[in-house]
Amino acid sequence: QVLLVQSGGGLVQPGGSLRLSCAASGSIFSIKTMGWYRQAPGKERELVAGIASGGITNYADSVKARFTISRDNAKNTVYLQMNKLKPDDTAVYYCNADVCTFSGSCRDYWGQGTQVTVSS
């Protein structure tokens, strides 16, 4: 059993910053890619940023140079630092992790989601 628990998020004014965290726990043998997705009302869930176990990152064009993804492998935790936030960034944000357990199974797990609202 693997659990991803998110923290952070909330209401922020345009131009402001927020930091999201997501900690994985349970019977974890290894974690490959970790990432953040978001889903705005009426839109499909989209990838915001991803980070491989070795640290290679990728970002959606809309967040490049404003968001930074990082991870602490010792803590099985992924972070998303969001700067210069815009109203278009308003969405529910979900963390995702590709986890292999000690039982030998590997699959994606999702966090519970957290609301980020950018508004004046």
Side-chain angles (χ1 to χ4, degrees), residues 2-112:
V2 175
L3 190 63
L4 269 58
V5 177
Q6 299 178 214
S7 60
L11 174 64
V12 65
Q13 292 186 343
S17 298
L18 284 174
R19 188 191 196 210
L20 305 181
S21 300
C22 173
S25 62
S27 181
I28 299 170
F29 175 72
S30 66
I31 303 179
K32 299 175 183 177
T33 302
M34 304 185 83
W36 291 94
Y37 290 73
R38 68 186 180 187
Q39 187 166 20
K43 295 186 177 181
E44 294 186 353
R45 190 173 297 189
E46 63 174 357
L47 175 67
V48 176
I51 183 167
S53 57
I56 295 174
T57 60
N58 64 290
Y59 296 92
D61 287 343
S62 60
V63 306
K64 282 180 180 177
R66 298 189 299 122
F67 291 10
T68 302
I69 188 171
S70 60
R71 64 190 283 175
D72 183 333
N73 291 330
K75 296 181 178 179
N76 291 330
T77 299
V78 62
Y79 307 94
L80 185 68
Q81 178 66 42
M82 304 183 291
N83 298 329
K84 300 179 181 179
L85 283 159
K86 305 175 181 179
D88 283 350
D89 295 317
T90 296
V92 177
Y93 284 69
Y94 299 89
C95 67
N96 171 273
D98 183 4
V99 179
C100 293
T101 63
F102 284 105
S103 67
S105 68
C106 299
R107 70 171 184 91
D108 278 346
Y109 291 85
W110 292 89
Q112 79 275 19

